[in-house]
PDB file of all heavy atoms in Angstrom:
ATOM      1  N   ARG A1267     -33.081  35.680  -3.198  1.00 32.00           N
ATOM      2  CA  ARG A1267     -32.172  35.207  -4.247  1.00 32.00           C
ATOM      3  C   ARG A1267     -31.139  34.249  -3.649  1.00 32.00           C
ATOM      4  O   ARG A1267     -30.788  34.333  -2.488  1.00 32.00           O
ATOM      5  CB  ARG A1267     -31.455  36.390  -4.897  1.00 32.00           C
ATOM      6  CG  ARG A1267     -32.404  37.386  -5.558  1.00 32.00           C
ATOM      7  CD  ARG A1267     -33.071  36.786  -6.779  1.00 32.00           C
ATOM      8  NE  ARG A1267     -33.945  37.748  -7.439  1.00 32.00           N
ATOM      9  CZ  ARG A1267     -34.610  37.477  -8.554  1.00 32.00           C
ATOM     10  NH1 ARG A1267     -34.499  36.297  -9.122  1.00 32.00           N
ATOM     11  NH2 ARG A1267     -35.379  38.395  -9.096  1.00 32.00           N
ATOM     12  N   SER A1268     -30.601  33.410  -4.495  1.00 35.00           N
ATOM     13  CA  SER A1268     -29.631  32.425  -4.013  1.00 35.00           C
ATOM     14  C   SER A1268     -28.375  32.395  -4.858  1.00 35.00           C
ATOM     15  O   SER A1268     -27.540  31.543  -4.692  1.00 35.00           O
ATOM     16  CB  SER A1268     -30.251  31.012  -4.011  1.00 35.00           C
ATOM     17  OG  SER A1268     -30.592  30.641  -5.318  1.00 35.00           O
ATOM     18  N   THR A1269     -28.250  33.299  -5.812  1.00 33.00           N
ATOM     19  CA  THR A1269     -27.160  33.172  -6.779  1.00 33.00           C
ATOM     20  C   THR A1269     -26.146  34.274  -6.705  1.00 33.00           C
ATOM     21  O   THR A1269     -25.216  34.299  -7.498  1.00 33.00           O
ATOM     22  CB  THR A1269     -27.744  33.130  -8.190  1.00 33.00           C
ATOM     23  OG1 THR A1269     -28.543  34.293  -8.383  1.00 33.00           O
ATOM     24  CG2 THR A1269     -28.596  31.893  -8.394  1.00 33.00           C
ATOM     25  N   SER A1270     -26.274  35.213  -5.816  1.00 34.00           N
ATOM     26  CA  SER A1270     -25.325  36.316  -5.794  1.00 34.00           C
ATOM     27  C   SER A1270     -23.938  35.874  -5.383  1.00 34.00           C
ATOM     28  O   SER A1270     -22.963  36.542  -5.671  1.00 34.00           O
ATOM     29  CB  SER A1270     -25.817  37.400  -4.822  1.00 34.00           C
ATOM     30  OG  SER A1270     -25.872  36.881  -3.515  1.00 34.00           O
ATOM     31  N   GLU A1271     -23.861  34.695  -4.720  1.00 35.00           N
ATOM     32  CA  GLU A1271     -22.528  34.245  -4.333  1.00 35.00           C
ATOM     33  C   GLU A1271     -21.692  33.881  -5.539  1.00 35.00           C
ATOM     34  O   GLU A1271     -20.480  33.737  -5.448  1.00 35.00           O
ATOM     35  CB  GLU A1271     -22.619  33.036  -3.383  1.00 35.00           C
ATOM     36  CG  GLU A1271     -23.147  31.760  -4.025  1.00 35.00           C
ATOM     37  CD  GLU A1271     -24.669  31.772  -4.133  1.00 35.00           C
ATOM     38  OE1 GLU A1271     -25.288  32.738  -3.661  1.00 35.00           O
ATOM     39  OE2 GLU A1271     -25.204  30.821  -4.706  1.00 35.00           O
ATOM     40  N   GLY A1272     -22.342  33.707  -6.682  1.00 35.00           N
ATOM     41  CA  GLY A1272     -21.569  33.390  -7.877  1.00 35.00           C
ATOM     42  C   GLY A1272     -20.697  34.530  -8.325  1.00 35.00           C
ATOM     43  O   GLY A1272     -19.816  34.359  -9.149  1.00 35.00           O
ATOM     44  N   ILE A1273     -20.897  35.721  -7.776  1.00 30.00           N
ATOM     45  CA  ILE A1273     -20.087  36.868  -8.184  1.00 30.00           C
ATOM     46  C   ILE A1273     -18.638  36.664  -7.764  1.00 30.00           C
ATOM     47  O   ILE A1273     -17.711  36.899  -8.523  1.00 30.00           O
ATOM     48  CB  ILE A1273     -20.650  38.154  -7.561  1.00 30.00           C
ATOM     49  CG1 ILE A1273     -22.071  38.385  -8.099  1.00 30.00           C
ATOM     50  CG2 ILE A1273     -19.772  39.336  -7.847  1.00 30.00           C
ATOM     51  CD1 ILE A1273     -22.776  39.534  -7.432  1.00 30.00           C
ATOM     52  N   ASN A1274     -18.460  36.232  -6.564  1.00 33.00           N
ATOM     53  CA  ASN A1274     -17.080  36.107  -6.064  1.00 33.00           C
ATOM     54  C   ASN A1274     -16.734  34.707  -5.598  1.00 33.00           C
ATOM     55  O   ASN A1274     -15.671  34.502  -5.042  1.00 33.00           O
ATOM     56  CB  ASN A1274     -16.842  37.104  -4.925  1.00 33.00           C
ATOM     57  CG  ASN A1274     -17.906  36.996  -3.845  1.00 33.00           C
ATOM     58  OD1 ASN A1274     -18.591  35.977  -3.767  1.00 33.00           O
ATOM     59  ND2 ASN A1274     -18.039  38.037  -3.032  1.00 33.00           N
ATOM     60  N   GLY A1275     -17.633  33.786  -5.778  1.00 35.00           N
ATOM     61  CA  GLY A1275     -17.315  32.415  -5.413  1.00 35.00           C
ATOM     62  C   GLY A1275     -17.400  32.126  -3.952  1.00 35.00           C
ATOM     63  O   GLY A1275     -16.995  31.070  -3.508  1.00 35.00           O
ATOM     64  N   HIS A1276     -17.941  33.015  -3.141  1.00 36.00           N
ATOM     65  CA  HIS A1276     -17.993  32.776  -1.696  1.00 36.00           C
ATOM     66  C   HIS A1276     -19.405  32.465  -1.267  1.00 36.00           C
ATOM     67  O   HIS A1276     -20.380  32.918  -1.877  1.00 36.00           O
ATOM     68  CB  HIS A1276     -17.496  33.997  -0.924  1.00 36.00           C
ATOM     69  CG  HIS A1276     -16.037  34.236  -1.151  1.00 36.00           C
ATOM     70  ND1 HIS A1276     -15.069  33.388  -0.689  1.00 36.00           N
ATOM     71  CD2 HIS A1276     -15.377  35.237  -1.826  1.00 36.00           C
ATOM     72  CE1 HIS A1276     -13.874  33.838  -1.036  1.00 36.00           C
ATOM     73  NE2 HIS A1276     -14.048  34.965  -1.732  1.00 36.00           N
ATOM     74  N   ALA A1277     -19.520  31.761  -0.178  1.00 35.00           N
ATOM     75  CA  ALA A1277     -20.833  31.420   0.346  1.00 35.00           C
ATOM     76  C   ALA A1277     -21.462  32.644   0.952  1.00 35.00           C
ATOM     77  O   ALA A1277     -20.785  33.540   1.432  1.00 35.00           O
ATOM     78  CB  ALA A1277     -20.709  30.326   1.406  1.00 35.00           C
ATOM     79  N   PRO A1278     -22.796  32.736   0.946  1.00 35.00           N
ATOM     80  CA  PRO A1278     -23.468  33.888   1.543  1.00 35.00           C
ATOM     81  C   PRO A1278     -23.316  33.888   3.042  1.00 35.00           C
ATOM     82  O   PRO A1278     -23.038  32.874   3.651  1.00 35.00           O
ATOM     83  CB  PRO A1278     -24.932  33.680   1.124  1.00 35.00           C
ATOM     84  CG  PRO A1278     -25.062  32.213   0.908  1.00 35.00           C
ATOM     85  CD  PRO A1278     -23.740  31.754   0.391  1.00 35.00           C
TER      86      PRO A1278
END
Side-chain angles (χ1 to χ4, degrees):
R1267 299 292 182 178
S1268 62
T1269 56
S1270 63
E1271 68 280 357
I1273 297 173
N1274 52 19
H1276 293 292

